[in-house]
Amino acid sequence: MTKRKKIAILTGGGDVPGLNVAIKAVVVRAHASDIDVVGIRRGWKGLMSIDPSDHHTTGKWTMPLTVENVRDDRPYGRDDPHTSRTNPSNVSANDIPEVVPSRIVCRRRTGRWTAQKHVTKVLDALSIDAVIPIGGDDTLSYACRLHREGVQIVAIPKTMDNDVFVDRFLP
């Protein structure tokens, strides 16, 4: 028996109308293709907050998304897994969750920190085959960085600032 594929979907930035419709479209299409979908709560922050060896943190920061539990009828644009403005490659020391081992956090020249290795470790531990981030420039620039490291990414632009420039993300 072959292993079912699993994708993760997350959102970054502010809540806007259309998020739930996009999430629902991904879930319905994935379900039709026998692909499991997991929602990451609080976007990239959720991935940073998971300890792969602690199932409690996985349950707290992820949620299975099924055709039955996704909705597109919310009137104010709030997405089901919720969003955040976290970029794991550019966080302050105070914003790094305790579950991130200090040995894999690197200080950048800017004085900020990156938890890139932890995020890729979590994706591997969750057996995620692809990530679908929905967001603006900051969310998608981090997705681009993950893609360069071999993570399969299908990005959905979402911006009120019109700040997602495709040529910036092309190789």
Side-chain angles (χ1 to χ4, degrees), residues 33-167:
S33 301
D34 291 326
I35 298 171
D36 294 325
V37 183
V38 61
I40 307 297
R41 296 181 191 275
R42 303 285 180 208
W44 298 123
K45 178 181 180 179
L47 283 177
M48 283 179 48
S49 301
I50 295 172
D51 177 350
S53 65
D54 181 357
H55 294 295
H56 174 71
T57 62
T58 302
K60 179 179 178 183
W61 293 99
T62 66
M63 61 186 286
L65 296 177
T66 65
V67 173
E68 294 77 27
N69 72 3
V70 293
R71 301 186 349 213
D72 61 1
D73 60 350
R74 292 195 182 180
Y76 302 112
R78 183 169 169 206
D79 64 302
D80 282 320
H82 306 292
T83 189
S84 79
R85 296 184 186 276
T86 302
N87 181 333
S89 68
N90 189 25
V91 293
S92 70
N94 293 337
D95 292 332
I96 299 172
E98 290 182 19
V99 301
V100 179
S102 60
R103 69 182 184 286
I104 66 170
V105 177
C106 300
R107 187 177 177 121
R108 300 178 60 198
R109 279 184 256 163
T110 61
R112 306 278 287 177
W113 296 79
T114 178
Q116 174 76 26
K117 290 180 184 177
H118 179 73
V119 169
T120 54
K121 182 179 175 183
V122 168
L123 290 171
D124 287 342
L126 295 176
S127 301
I128 301 296
D129 296 299
V131 178
I132 301 179
I134 304 174
D137 183 58
D138 203 33
T139 301
L140 300 186
S141 64
Y142 185 70
C144 185
R145 182 173 177 179
L146 280 177
H147 178 70
R148 280 191 230 115
E149 299 213 7
V151 177
Q152 297 298 308
I153 300 288
V154 177
I156 300 176
K158 173 208 63 90
T159 178
M160 292 173 52
D161 302 324
N162 199 25
D163 61 354
V164 176
F165 302 101
V166 176
D167 59 338

